[in-house]
Amino acid sequence: MDYEAKLAAFYSQLSLHGADVIDVGAHIGRHAIPLANLVGLEGTCYAFEPIPSVRQVLAANISQLGLNNTVCLSHWVNPIASRYSISSQIYPKSPGSKNVTSTMPNRRSFS
């Protein structure tokens, strides 16, 4: 089993209903789409994809599947910065769209 399949098998066992999840480097939705299904309508999946042509395919996949709980963001994420700030509109834009703004201290230690 390849790494992507192992990762999908892992998170599919988690209780994520109603959670907010982040997929950094979402590409065309390999993980964002199943995560969006796992969190359900009460949760939100934030899919970050900075490459415009790839993000366009991601947004089309999200739209085609009717995943209204998924936010497609154009920003790249810098894990080195001591703080990050993200502000972007949801794509595709729809009634009830909201902006996502977040500031969070960097956590340099992992256990």
Side-chain angles (χ1 to χ4, degrees), residues 19 26 29 31 40 47 49 75 83 85 103 110:
H31 297 291
E49 180 48 59
H75 298 280
R83 296 179 72 79
S85 180
T103 304
F110 301 92

Side-chain angles (χ1 to χ4, degrees), residues 79-82 104-111:
I80 308 271
S82 61
M104 179 176 159
N106 181 31
R107 309 272 181 197
R108 295 188 185 263
S109 61
F110 301 92
S111 53

Side-chain angles (χ1 to χ4, degrees), residues 16-106:
L16 295 175
H17 188 79
D20 291 337
V21 297
I22 298 172
D23 184 359
V24 176
H27 198 244
I28 63 170
R30 167 69 172 91
H31 297 291
I33 291 168
L35 284 167
N37 287 317
L38 288 170
V39 301
L41 295 176
E42 292 79 19
T44 304
C45 178
Y46 298 94
F48 290 85
E49 180 48 59
I51 302 170
S53 60
V54 177
R55 188 175 57 258
Q56 186 175 14
V57 174
L58 171 63
N61 290 342
I62 290 167
S63 178
Q64 183 179 22
L65 294 168
L67 296 172
N68 297 325
N69 64 342
T70 304
V71 180
C72 187
L73 298 159
S74 63
H75 298 280
W76 61 279
V77 177
N78 180 356
I80 308 271
S82 61
R83 296 179 72 79
Y84 73 87
S85 180
I86 301 161
S87 180
S88 181
Q89 288 186 342
I90 295 174
Y91 183 83
K93 208 170 184 181
S94 61
S97 290
K98 58 186 175 183
N99 286 344
V100 175
T101 305
S102 176
T103 304
M104 179 176 159
N106 181 31

